[in-house]
Amino acid sequence: MNEFLSKKAGSIKPYTAGAQPSETDIIKLNTNENPYPPSPKTLEAYRSFDAAELKLYPRPDGGLLRQAIAKADGVSESHVFCGNGSDEVLAMAFAAFFDGNITFPDVTYSFYPVWADLFGISYNLLPLNEDFTIPADKLRGKGVVFANPNAPTSIALELDDVEKVIKQNSGHVVIVDEAYITFGAQSAASLIPKYENLLIVRTLSKSHALAGMRIGYALGQPHLIEGLERIKDSFNSYPLDSVAQRVGAAAMLDTEYYREAAKKIIATRERISKQLKELGYTVLPSSTNFLFVSKPGASGAALKAYLDGCGIYVRRWNAPRIADFLRISVGTDEQMDILVQKLKEYA
Amino acid sequence: MNEFLSKKAGSIKPYTAGAQPSETDIIKLNTNENPYPPSPKTLEAYRSFDAAELKLYPRPDGGLLRQAIAKADGVSESHVFCGNGSDEVLAMAFAAFFDGNITFPDVTYSFYPVWADLFGISYNLLPLNEDFTIPADKLRGKGVVFANPNAPTSIALELDDVEKVIKQNSGHVVIVDEAYITFGAQSAASLIPKYENLLIVRTLSKSHALAGMRIGYALGQPHLIEGLERIKDSFNSYPLDSVAQRVGAAAMLDTEYYREAAKKIIATRERISKQLKELGYTVLPSSTNFLFVSKPGASGAALKAYLDGCGIYVRRWNAPRIADFLRISVGTDEQMDILVQKLKEYA
């Protein structure tokens, strides 16, 4: 460690994102990107943007994007906060609402402990049940964060259970990370008017095929949105560039196209899930655009190395409980057929 | 303050950015934007980008942009860190290198104390000299940050003085914020091989007319770049979207166009500065794309209100020592002629 680092920078353990290889002849199923492109209307919004406008600063609050999110999600603009991907929104939410003793599941998005450490927030890990579901009754803390559906397990919590978690933590903010919500689970958005401690965080990366554009947002009552704005304006006043605001707005309003894309992904997921089970794989019940998969008796490390050799990128964590699982993004039907074929040959 | 805020969120005093009004019939001289558009090659990079690629995550390290910065500034890629505007880069540098007892001038970029508070870093304010120059000899701390040229004073420090500050703070990181460097001051970039504690931060917002694209970067020896990467990967792995990477790279490589644009701005600045002095205004010697101006005997608040009424937006801080000054961005010749005319009428 070098002598110039702050105590914080020297002690944190940064998050490791999935690889973004520059080879193009691979099958990339490692970062849960949408296999289908953004909608024609979204692409048209890109094309019609006048790049000469870039000489001016963007709207600091997200401008048209914020309006479009409010419209699409049926809330007022005062209930919406926009950020540079849901990672930034989550980071700011940690800083805005948590002082310590927060709780999240032991198997979940591996960025949560990193943000907690970055902002000096102590945390407790709640073990998932044996079947990798979240024991909702026990999810309590001075602040709670969980993903629904959870990642990388792919399993969704019922809305009743989500509401239970919000209720039993009244007085502390409950962040529901809905990064994968459009692929089958029920959103908690309908609960926002009822609970002053509920903050929902979403991303356009997966559902709207805009991973490369970096757009995330939060929904919650205005006092929570104001808390996020306080942190944003103490960190970076303009996190979303003018192109992202324009393109994201068009995507949010083109609901039909993205609903159809999600349907296709779900159909592929169910088909492949069935085939993998027939091959003897364990496949957790997915409400996401990925599958969490293991082969009884086989090593996850060996299986990943085999797929790497086949030019198929998937993700694996060398972590307790899940070291023998692979997280496989749902790609196109063609990509997934090749995957199944290769796994057949692995036997 | 609402009950859900963390102690930090409740106690910080966020930065206030210059207004981004939606009216188009105003003369906007309040946020130091470049009055000229991005170069034709930059606009072409925007147009030729295939927006269907947005379904994939961007390169987490800045990709082509990082390469272009390295090439344009004559360093290796290991000396470059890219972020979502120089504000984000500065915020991350505070977190990466400072533990407390840092020093910066009393009159400088008003975001410095905000970042210090956000990350719990104590700081000392060094009073500027009577003439608003930085007393370089006295700029010492367990970490130092200053803008060169300084903002909002517009005054540059000689390179010898910058080097003195770096030398007298060996063992602690010295951040030189070169947001306005292309408008007349001498960059400290040539000192990077010599000093392991020097970090330079720059933005494409002003010099490259890309305020709307949110691109900033840092230059320093690789151990400092690694420190910034540790913080980035603990906050948001992909701060720069794919469009910003492509457009920013084209801008960095089109040096001739932007040098000419800077020359035009400097010529306008000198012409207007002279005219304002002839009208009896105090105009600090500017090496930036703005003028810091006061009218002896006149109230800054009244003068700003008058210009607001004329549809001319400028910036003023209700802060010690500078409450009677206005910061006026250098716009086009036409815009500045109207400004001078209106100030003549103010008498």
Side-chain angles (χ1 to χ4, degrees):
Chain A
M1 202 46 55
N2 77 65
E3 60 180 311
F4 293 102
L5 294 188
S6 66
K7 285 180 199 136
K8 189 186 295 294
S11 65
I12 48 178
K13 203 170 164 299
Y15 174 76
T16 307
Q20 294 298 328
S22 38
E23 305 96 298
T24 49
D25 57 343
I26 57 150
I27 295 182
K28 191 169 178 305
L29 305 175
N30 69 331
T31 52
N32 297 342
E33 287 144 339
N34 198 311
Y36 304 108
S39 76
K41 282 181 190 163
T42 309
L43 299 178
E44 176 53 28
Y46 180 86
R47 270 191 300 271
S48 64
F49 176 81
D50 176 6
E53 277 185 38
L54 291 171
K55 72 178 181 178
L56 300 178
Y57 279 94
R59 286 285 300 264
D61 66 350
L64 288 176
L65 171 63
R66 193 183 192 194
Q67 288 171 28
I69 292 167
K71 192 172 172 202
D73 288 338
V75 296
S76 78
E77 280 183 62
S78 63
H79 288 67
V80 180
F81 174 84
C82 302
N84 186 257
S86 63
D87 282 349
E88 184 183 81
V89 177
L90 285 162
M92 290 184 177
F94 273 60
F97 306 119
F98 296 159
D99 277 315
N101 257 309
I102 64 167
T103 301
F104 48 84
D106 64 340
V107 178
T108 190
Y109 187 27
S110 52
F111 224 135
Y112 299 156
V114 180
W115 289 315
D117 289 342
L118 179 65
F119 293 111
I121 299 159
S122 61
Y123 58 89
N124 310 298
L125 297 179
L126 174 71
L128 294 185
N129 297 320
E130 270 305 304
D131 63 357
F132 290 108
T133 55
I134 294 176
D137 289 342
K138 298 182 192 153
L139 196 45
R140 295 165 191 266
K142 291 187 184 291
V144 161
V145 55
F146 67 104
N148 191 41
N150 198 11
T153 65
S154 79
I155 301 173
L157 209 56
E158 297 289 331
L159 188 56
D160 283 352
D161 284 327
V162 172
E163 184 164 10
K164 198 183 294 172
V165 175
I166 300 164
K167 260 189 193 163
Q168 73 201 8
N169 288 286
S170 68
H172 299 289
V173 171
V174 173
I175 301 175
V176 185
D177 177 354
E178 294 192 342
Y180 300 100
I181 197 70
T182 39
F183 302 104
Q186 215 181 334
S187 171
S190 61
L191 303 177
I192 285 176
K194 216 167 144 187
Y195 296 102
E196 57 178 13
N197 64 328
L198 168 60
L199 190 81
I200 294 174
V201 176
R202 293 201 188 142
T203 170
L204 274 69
S205 295
K206 296 115 196 331
S207 56
H208 292 74
L210 287 175
M213 196 83 262
R214 318 306 308 125
I215 307 170
Y217 66 94
L219 299 175
Q221 291 186 13
H223 61 280
L224 299 187
I225 301 306
E226 283 163 29
L228 290 169
E229 279 163 357
R230 288 181 67 81
I231 297 295
K232 174 182 85 68
D233 289 331
S234 303
F235 183 80
N236 184 9
S237 310
Y238 309 93
L240 271 166
D241 64 56
S242 302
V243 183
Q245 293 186 21
R246 199 70 68 86
V247 168
M252 282 305 301
L253 297 176
D254 199 4
T255 46
E256 193 51 40
Y257 173 91
Y258 292 105
R259 194 180 296 132
E260 287 306 311
K263 268 192 198 163
K264 272 200 283 187
I265 291 165
I266 291 168
T268 306
R269 177 187 78 204
E270 293 305 308
R271 186 172 70 80
I272 298 302
S273 171
K274 189 161 167 281
Q275 292 185 15
L276 291 178
K277 283 179 195 164
E278 286 165 5
L279 291 177
Y281 283 78
T282 299
V283 183
L284 300 193
S286 173
S287 298
T288 63
N289 68 338
F290 60 85
L291 294 167
F292 205 50
V293 168
S294 69
K295 186 176 167 73
S299 134
L303 195 52
K304 175 161 192 308
Y306 166 73
L307 288 176
D308 280 349
C310 299
I312 301 178
Y313 278 48
V314 301
R315 211 152 174 213
R316 172 183 170 264
W317 286 266
N318 193 15
R321 304 186 67 179
I322 59 169
D324 284 330
F325 278 82
L326 302 183
R327 190 195 70 181
I328 306 175
S329 308
V330 176
T332 61
D333 282 308
E334 296 67 28
Q335 292 176 318
M336 299 310 278
D337 288 342
I338 296 171
L339 171 86
V340 171
Q341 184 55 40
K342 292 295 178 190
L343 287 178
K344 243 182 213 161
E345 292 165 14
Y346 187 63
Chain B
M1 204 45 56
N2 77 66
E3 61 181 310
F4 292 103
L5 294 188
S6 66
K7 284 179 201 139
K8 189 186 294 295
S11 65
I12 48 178
K13 202 172 166 298
Y15 173 76
T16 306
Q20 295 296 328
S22 37
E23 306 97 296
T24 49
D25 57 344
I26 56 150
I27 294 182
K28 191 169 178 304
L29 305 175
N30 69 330
T31 53
N32 298 342
E33 289 144 337
N34 198 311
Y36 303 108
S39 76
K41 282 182 190 163
T42 308
L43 299 178
E44 176 53 28
Y46 179 85
R47 271 192 299 270
S48 64
F49 177 81
D50 177 7
E53 277 185 38
L54 291 171
K55 72 177 182 179
L56 300 178
Y57 279 95
R59 285 286 301 267
D61 65 350
L64 289 176
L65 171 63
R66 193 183 192 193
Q67 288 171 28
I69 292 167
K71 192 172 171 203
D73 289 338
V75 296
S76 79
E77 280 184 61
S78 64
H79 287 65
V80 180
F81 174 84
C82 302
N84 185 259
S86 62
D87 281 349
E88 184 183 83
V89 176
L90 286 162
M92 290 184 175
F94 272 60
F97 306 119
F98 295 158
D99 277 315
N101 256 309
I102 63 168
T103 301
F104 48 84
D106 64 341
V107 177
T108 190
Y109 188 26
S110 52
F111 224 136
Y112 298 156
V114 180
W115 289 315
D117 289 342
L118 179 66
F119 293 111
I121 300 159
S122 62
Y123 57 89
N124 310 298
L125 297 179
L126 174 70
L128 294 185
N129 296 320
E130 272 305 305
D131 64 357
F132 290 108
T133 56
I134 294 177
D137 289 341
K138 298 182 190 153
L139 195 46
R140 295 164 190 267
K142 291 185 185 292
V144 161
V145 55
F146 66 103
N148 190 41
N150 197 13
T153 64
S154 79
I155 300 173
L157 209 57
E158 296 289 331
L159 188 57
D160 283 351
D161 284 328
V162 172
E163 184 165 8
K164 196 183 295 174
V165 175
I166 299 164
K167 260 189 190 163
Q168 74 200 10
N169 287 286
S170 68
H172 299 290
V173 171
V174 173
I175 301 174
V176 185
D177 177 354
E178 294 192 341
Y180 299 100
I181 198 70
T182 38
F183 302 103
Q186 214 182 335
S187 171
S190 62
L191 302 177
I192 286 177
K194 213 166 146 188
Y195 295 102
E196 58 179 13
N197 65 328
L198 167 61
L199 190 81
I200 294 173
V201 176
R202 293 199 188 145
T203 170
L204 274 70
S205 294
K206 295 119 194 335
S207 57
H208 292 74
L210 286 175
M213 197 82 263
R214 318 306 307 123
I215 307 170
Y217 66 94
L219 300 174
Q221 291 186 13
H223 62 281
L224 298 187
I225 301 305
E226 283 162 30
L228 290 169
E229 278 163 358
R230 287 181 69 82
I231 297 295
K232 173 182 86 70
D233 289 332
S234 302
F235 183 79
N236 184 9
S237 309
Y238 308 95
L240 271 167
D241 64 56
S242 302
V243 183
Q245 292 185 21
R246 199 70 68 86
V247 168
M252 281 306 300
L253 297 176
D254 199 6
T255 45
E256 192 51 39
Y257 173 91
Y258 292 104
R259 194 180 298 131
E260 287 305 312
K263 268 192 200 164
K264 270 200 285 188
I265 291 165
I266 291 170
T268 306
R269 177 188 78 205
E270 294 305 309
R271 186 173 68 82
I272 299 302
S273 172
K274 188 159 167 283
Q275 292 185 13
L276 291 178
K277 283 181 197 163
E278 286 164 4
L279 290 176
Y281 283 78
T282 299
V283 184
L284 300 192
S286 174
S287 298
T288 64
N289 68 339
F290 58 86
L291 293 168
F292 205 50
V293 167
S294 70
K295 186 175 166 74
S299 133
L303 194 53
K304 174 160 192 311
Y306 166 73
L307 288 175
D308 281 348
C310 299
I312 300 178
Y313 278 48
V314 301
R315 216 159 168 208
R316 173 185 170 263
W317 286 266
N318 193 13
R321 305 186 66 178
I322 58 170
D324 284 329
F325 277 82
L326 302 183
R327 190 194 69 183
I328 306 174
S329 308
V330 177
T332 61
D333 281 309
E334 295 69 26
Q335 292 175 319
M336 299 310 278
D337 287 342
I338 296 172
L339 171 86
V340 170
Q341 184 56 39
K342 291 295 179 189
L343 288 179
K344 243 183 215 163
E345 293 166 14
Y346 188 64

